[in-house]
């Protein structure tokens, strides 16, 4: 009969969970809270071998309710989180991290920092792979908060510096923050992942202290290491860094060329096109034409007046100079079966004219050149 | 479209998923996921952080208590698709069916039997004609000597078959030798189609039916589309939906969007040659292109936007292998993409015809058995996405062999779980030109083409069935995009919101990393209205329930933003062809208003839908329901004669003897019944059928009124006439009085008998007897009020003493109330006895009662559910009394 008891217990537990789920999905936080107080009983006799145990269930549901319940407050939330942390060893770091996120979103930066420091010093037996990742994440976020403090101190110093007054203690403190932030940030960006925020902060630190080589290395690694995902932002950061450093056009172009290969529809392609168009080399101008054509292939650019003006300017230039008309022909050959319907339909002509006259002019010019006599854009 | 300046941090691993999977009931709650620093200005004193999930979203609230029908049910009656109980072996139904486990036993023999009965010509045509002179099926003996030589009397054989059916599931079932002999003789030559071949085909069909019952992916995408009014000028849109008995008619119905959307005019109708599985639509250059997929045909229609002109069919293609996907290009007019189950992807252009982009029967990233394929468009009109259960790839139609990249992989890259599979991919072009939605049975992902493999958003949706339908409503000017997810079998509908610009309109709404905002919200399902409908007669209720719980087959929605009250209309299509609609209204951002109203209205039992006055919008919904119900009952009355009565065969409810007449079984029969039951309970065998000498004389049938038509036929007459309730009222008040008299009479007799009792009878049992009887006689009509008809029906309906119709002693609800420890405590039952009592009572709550013993003990049974439970616990030792006497 103990088996039967277990079965009954399981059944009522499931029913209770269903009620909670139902209430949550209908935003009935009070009802959900009442059911949850009953569900807590399931902690006592945890027979389940499921992938999410009751303690995690309670943590998740409780958090969700406390986020939305009209009578909850931050103090209660913190108290609940502390209890949840002690409920399961396996999830300690995860709960800590989530707690910190909530504090951060509510502007309690100092409390969040304390929690991060506490979590970082936590040790329990051998760490699993997931816990290892979570620990690294905790350290990275602490690095981020250290960076924020550093940046605050820096601003104070800069303001004071303008008055011709420097505070040694503040400066000392700032350097302290730098060291702490740099150590943690450096660690996480070695691991494959998307670390836009961390990379940006780390590069900012390095640039401030004049370590440009290290910064360049970090950005190159982030952009070109094949273990990392093909993140357009990595290339954007590198390009921006090179621009700040006043690098040659050539290296800027090569950085953007790679971005073009990954994401032909990136908004930097307009800059890229302008840069190439200004170039004296014939080949580069040709690439510029390819770039702007490729950009306008994408639905997101369909009504972008800037892109159309880039194209019309270059096409006009080519037609007037009567050189390299074959460039246009080549580009057009692969598009002639679908660009007319995609860009130059009668319906679009009418709508563009109503909505954006300048766009309409640019498109009409391009259409006139590309479609020749069979023009029906107007 | 800009790429967000910074994305949420995440790890990136490669390889197969490591996390052990399984449906996690609450995995989507209580997590921010990650936070990102990003404020309106960089020069702030405090950095501001935004979460990946959990920011506040828009508030949408359901305007009505349930979804409301948009269309009247069609004229022809709907044939429900097979349910598990139709094809499963009966005894295995008792075991709980667990999804994913293929331990189900299919009822092969029954289906084969159905085939023989339904298609005798195909099964035994020629030999049947040859032999029919030689088979005699009458009851009479064969007398003519001439025919005797060449004619066999088959009646006994048929009786044997009937008996076999009746003994189904009995462990001591033996094949009748006569049957075995016959089947041995004729197995090889009787059948038109060789039996082995037929069985193979049937078995294949059965397993296929079963797997489609577990998960039917042919409906992916949904067969409902909404064509919004041109530029929102008018409020007349078009609903494209399938209809007809086999869902093979395509309707284009004008719908006026008002408080409740209503149809206008009669729909444009097309009859197709197959069941419509999917309806996809996209608007290009002010014209709607509607693609329709059935298993072997795909067609495309053009609906001119402005003039409200009739839809024009453009082209149809036929496929050899069932098509699994059809999507319409949002970029170029008259372009579609088609996938077939053989693993082929085509770009279909009205002008240039079909272009094969890929042919690969294997799945892309790892091996999976499913032949399902999907394809959709991307931000680049020449690049298409192709999907199977393992992931998504994008390929360039201009050079499909060379130019392709992986967009999504079921693997560690996206943080998937083991066993996770792609269910529905969708291009979110209307919300963001380079984003895609991918749903799996566990999670929902938003992907950006510009950053392949890494989902920009991931959330565990916690739905009970995999979401086969999705619909996106773009939020303009930095407002959140709304995504609707719909499941088929469970009819679940879930509303999610996500945002790809943090700071809203005020700061220009620049692009930023994707965030899931607000909380997911469950919407009304079609079946949800059942609890609000007025009480129906049982068989009609069953019909209605079957109709309303039919799996969902499609989903469409529209936002109305021009009004002062923004609202969202959601249409849901069911497999029965019904289209239901619900309205959500937008609540301006306000502190969480008192939600007590919402929580009160959803309390079980209350039905605001039907309580509201007719003038209010709720009343409008009620009116709509009444009309729908009336039309449904009209439509189903005609076929009811054909389909309903035979399936509820009388033979299952009553034995033949019941139907023949009121004469009860003889005392001998009753003895035999009792012996049989007892032996069955003990699991023994009956060796000899000699009646035992020591049997009490049968009690007179005191409970039946003398004269007049027998109660069974009056009851049936009343039930067919529809005034069964009234009959019941009369009957119950009458029989209560009757029974009281009978009980008093018996008590007197038993008192007399007690005097003669031997002393060996235990003292306690006689004591309980006493108390029980005293309580019984106190029990007046107030306790046996008609509020509890099921208790009485056990006693009152069949002729006393005949094998009774087994109905549960009481509806489960009062029993559960009885069993709860609180109610037991209220009754003052000590704690240690509560469990015993609960165990005992649970017997009554679970199944049909134990076979009633002869009338002598029926009094105690009668009072268990209605009188105090103390009594029933006291009657426990008494049940063992016969043994103590031995």
């Amino acid at each position: 009969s103990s088996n039967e008891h277990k079965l009954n217990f399981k059944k009522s537990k499931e029913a209770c969970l269903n009620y909670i789920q139902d209430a949550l999905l209908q935003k009935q936080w009070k009802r959900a809270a009442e059911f949850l107080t009953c569900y807590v009983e399931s902690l006592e006799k945890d027979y389940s071998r499921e992938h999410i145990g009751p303690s995690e269930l309670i943590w998740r549901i409780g958090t969700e309710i406390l986020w939305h319940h009209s009578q909850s407050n931050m103090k209660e939330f913190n108290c609940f989180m502390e209890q949840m942390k002690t409920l399961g060893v396996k999830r300690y770091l995860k709960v800590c991290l989530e707690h910190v996120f909530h504090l951060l979103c509510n502007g309690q930066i100092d409390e969040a920092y304390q929690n991060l420091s506490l979590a970082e010093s936590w040790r329990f037996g051998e760490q699993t792979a997931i816990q290892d990742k979570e620990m690294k994440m905790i350290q990275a976020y602490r690095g981020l908060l250290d960076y924020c403090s550093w940046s605050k101190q820096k601003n104070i110093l800069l303001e004071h510096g303008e008055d011709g007054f420097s505070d040694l203690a503040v400066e000392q403190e700032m350097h302290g923050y730098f060291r702490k932030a740099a150590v943690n940030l450096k660690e996480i960006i070695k691991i494959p992942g998307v670390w836009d925020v961390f990379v940006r902060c780390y590069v900012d630190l390095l640039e401030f202290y004049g370590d440009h080589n290290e910064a360049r290395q970090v950005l190159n690694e982030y952009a070109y290491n094949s273990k990392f995902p093909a993140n357009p932002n990595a290339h954007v950061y590198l390009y921006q860094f090179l621009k700040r450093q006043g690098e040659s056009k050539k290296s800027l172009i090569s950085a953007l060329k790679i971005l073009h290969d990954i994401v032909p529809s990136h908004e930097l392609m307009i800059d890229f096109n302008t840069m190439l168009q200004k170039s004296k080399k014939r080949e580069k101008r040709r690439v510029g034409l390819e770039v702007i054509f490729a950009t306008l292939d994408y639905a997101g650019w369909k009504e972008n007046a800037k892109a159309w003006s880039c194209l019309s300017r270059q096409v006009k230039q080519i037609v007037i100079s009567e050189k390299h008309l074959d460039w246009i022909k080549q580009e057009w050959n692969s598009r002639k079966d679908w660009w007319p319907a995609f860009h130059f339909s009668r319906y679009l002509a009418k709508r563009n004219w109503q909505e954006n006259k300048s766009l309409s002019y640019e498109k009409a010019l391009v259409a006139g050149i590309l479609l020749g006599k069979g023009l029906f854009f107007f | 479209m800009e790429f967000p300046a910074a994305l949420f941090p995440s790890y990136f691993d490669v390889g197969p998923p490591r996390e052990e999977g399984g449906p996690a009931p609450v995995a989507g709650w209580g997590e921010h996921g990650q936070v990102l620093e990003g404020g309106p200005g960089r020069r702030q004193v405090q950095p501001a952080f935004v979460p990946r999930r959990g920011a506040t979203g828009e508030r949408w609230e359901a305007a009505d208590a349930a979804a409301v029908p948009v269309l009247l049910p069609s004229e022809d009656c709907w044939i429900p698709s097979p349910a598990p109980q139709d094809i499963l072996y009966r005894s295995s139904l008792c075991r709980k069916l667990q999804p994913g486990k293929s331990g189900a036993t299919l009822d092969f023999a029954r289906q084969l039997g159905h085939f023989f009965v339904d298609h005798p010509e195909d099964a035994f045509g020629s030999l049947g004609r040859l032999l029919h002179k030689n088979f005699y099926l009458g009851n009479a003996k064969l007398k003519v000597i001439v025919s005797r030589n060449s004619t066999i009397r088959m009646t006994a054989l048929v009786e044997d078959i009937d008996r076999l059916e009746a003994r189904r599931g009995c462990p001591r079932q033996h094949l009748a030798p006569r049957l075995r002999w016959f089947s041995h003789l004729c197995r090889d030559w009787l059948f038109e189609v060789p039996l082995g071949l037929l069985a193979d085909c049937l078995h294949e069909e059965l397993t296929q039916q079963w797997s489609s019952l577990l998960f039917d992916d042919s409906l992916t995408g949904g067969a409902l589309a909404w064509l919004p009014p041109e530029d929102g000028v008018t409020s007349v849109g078009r609903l494209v939906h399938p209809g007809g008995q086999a869902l093979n008619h395509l309707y284009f119905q004008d719908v006026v969007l008002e408080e409740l959307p209503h149809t206008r005019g009669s729909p444009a109708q097309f009859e197709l040659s197959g069941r419509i599985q999917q309806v996809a639509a996209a608007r290009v250059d002010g014209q709607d292109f509607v693609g329709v997929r059935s298993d072997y045909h795909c067609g495309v229609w053009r609906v001119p936007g402005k003039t409200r002109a009739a839809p024009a069919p453009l082209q149809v293609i036929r496929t050899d292998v069932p098509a699994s996907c059809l999507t319409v290009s949002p970029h170029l007019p008259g372009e579609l993409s088609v996938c077939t189950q053989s693993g082929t992807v085509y770009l279909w252009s009205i002008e240039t015809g079909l272009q094969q982009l890929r042919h690969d029967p294997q799945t892309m990233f790892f091996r999976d058995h499913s032949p399902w394929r999907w394809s959709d468009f991307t931000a680049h009109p020449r690049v298409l996405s192709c999907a199977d259960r393992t992931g998504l790839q994008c390929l360039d139609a201009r050079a499909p062999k060379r130019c392709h990249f992986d967009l999504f992989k079921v693997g560690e890259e996206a943080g998937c779980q083991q066993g996770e599979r792609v269910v529905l991919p969708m291009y979110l072009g209307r919300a963001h030109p380079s984003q895609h939605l991918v749903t799996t049975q566990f999670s929902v992902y938003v992907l950006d083409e510009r950053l392949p493999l890494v989902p920009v958003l991931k959330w565990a949706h916690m739905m009970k069935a995999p979401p086969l339908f999705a619909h996106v409503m773009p939020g303009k000017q930095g407002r959140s995009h709304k995504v609707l997810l719909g499941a088929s079998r469970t009819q679940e509908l879930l509303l999610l919101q996500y945002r790809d610009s943090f700071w809203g309109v005020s700061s220009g709404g620049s692009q930023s990393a994707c965030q899931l905002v607000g909380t997911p919200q469950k919407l009304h399902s079609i079946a949800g209205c059942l609890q609000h409908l007025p009480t129906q007669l049982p068989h009609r209720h069953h019909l209605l329930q079957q109709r309303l719980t039919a799996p969902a087959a499609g989903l469409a929605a529209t936002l109305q933003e021009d009004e002062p009250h923004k609202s969202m209309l959601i249409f849901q299509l069911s497999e029965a062809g019904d289209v239901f609609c619900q309205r959500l209204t937008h609540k301006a951002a306000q502190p969480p208003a008192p939600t007590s109203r919402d929580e009160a209205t959803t309390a079980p039992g209350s039905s605001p839908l039907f309580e509201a006055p007719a003038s209010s919008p709720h009343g409008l919904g009620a009116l709509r329901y009444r009309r729908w119900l009336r039309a449904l009952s009209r439509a189903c009355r005609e076929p009811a004669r054909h389909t309903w009565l035979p399936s509820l065969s009388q033979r299952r409810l009553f034995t033949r003897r019941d139907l023949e007449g009121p004469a009860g079984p003889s005392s001998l029969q009753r003895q035999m019944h009792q012996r049989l039951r007892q032996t069955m309970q003990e699991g023994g065998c009956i060796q000899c059928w000699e009646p035992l000498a020591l049997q009490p004389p049968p009690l007179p049938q005191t409970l039946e009124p003398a004269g007049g038509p027998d109660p069974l036929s009056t009851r049936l007459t009343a039930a067919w006439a529809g005034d069964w309730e009234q009959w019941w009222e009369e009957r119950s008040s009458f029989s209560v009085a009757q029974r009281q008299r009978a009980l008093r009479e018996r008590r007197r007799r038993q008192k007399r008998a007690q005097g003669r009792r031997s002393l060996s009878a235990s003292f306690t049992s006689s004591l309980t007897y006493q108390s029980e009887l005293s309580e019984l006689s106190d029990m007046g009509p107030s306790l046996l009020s008609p509020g509890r008809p099921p208790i009485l029906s056990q006693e009152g309906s069949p002729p006393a003493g005949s094998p009774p119709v087994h109905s549960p002693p009481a509806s489960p609800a009062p029993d559960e109330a009885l069993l709860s420890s609180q109610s037991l405590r209220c009754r003052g039952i000590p704690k240690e006895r509560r469990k015993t009592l609960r165990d005992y009572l649970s017997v009554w709550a679970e199944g049909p009662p134990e076979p009633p013993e002869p009338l002598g003990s029926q009094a105690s049974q009668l009072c268990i559910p209605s009188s105090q439970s103390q009594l029933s616990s006291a009657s426990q030792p008494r049940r063992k009394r016969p043994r103590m006497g031995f």
Side-chain angles (χ1 to χ4, degrees), chain B residues 350-403:
Chain B
I350 300 300
E351 281 167 18
T352 58
L354 289 172
Q355 180 196 352
Q356 181 177 320
L357 299 186
R358 155 179 295 198
H359 174 76
D360 188 3
Q362 302 292 319
T363 46
M364 288 186 282
F365 299 111
F366 52 88
R367 193 167 297 180
D368 187 88
H369 68 273
S370 171
W372 175 88
R373 296 288 183 278
W374 195 264
S375 157
D376 208 336
F377 291 84
T378 68
H380 194 298
R382 293 289 99 183
V383 177
L384 271 77
S385 71
C386 299
D388 56 38
R389 296 270 175 238
T390 66
L392 263 82
Q393 243 179 18
C394 288
L395 39 94
D396 195 320
R398 292 166 296 185
K401 294 252 158 53
R402 280 183 294 118
C403 298

Side-chain angles (χ1 to χ4, degrees), chain A residues 221-244:
Chain A
E221 176 79 5
Y222 190 49
Y224 299 136
N225 189 336
S226 59
K227 282 185 183 156
F228 281 66
N231 185 353
N233 277 341
H235 300 273
V236 174
Y237 297 158
L238 181 65
Y239 167 72
Q240 284 165 345
F241 173 79
L242 295 174
K243 218 170 156 188
R244 279 199 300 273

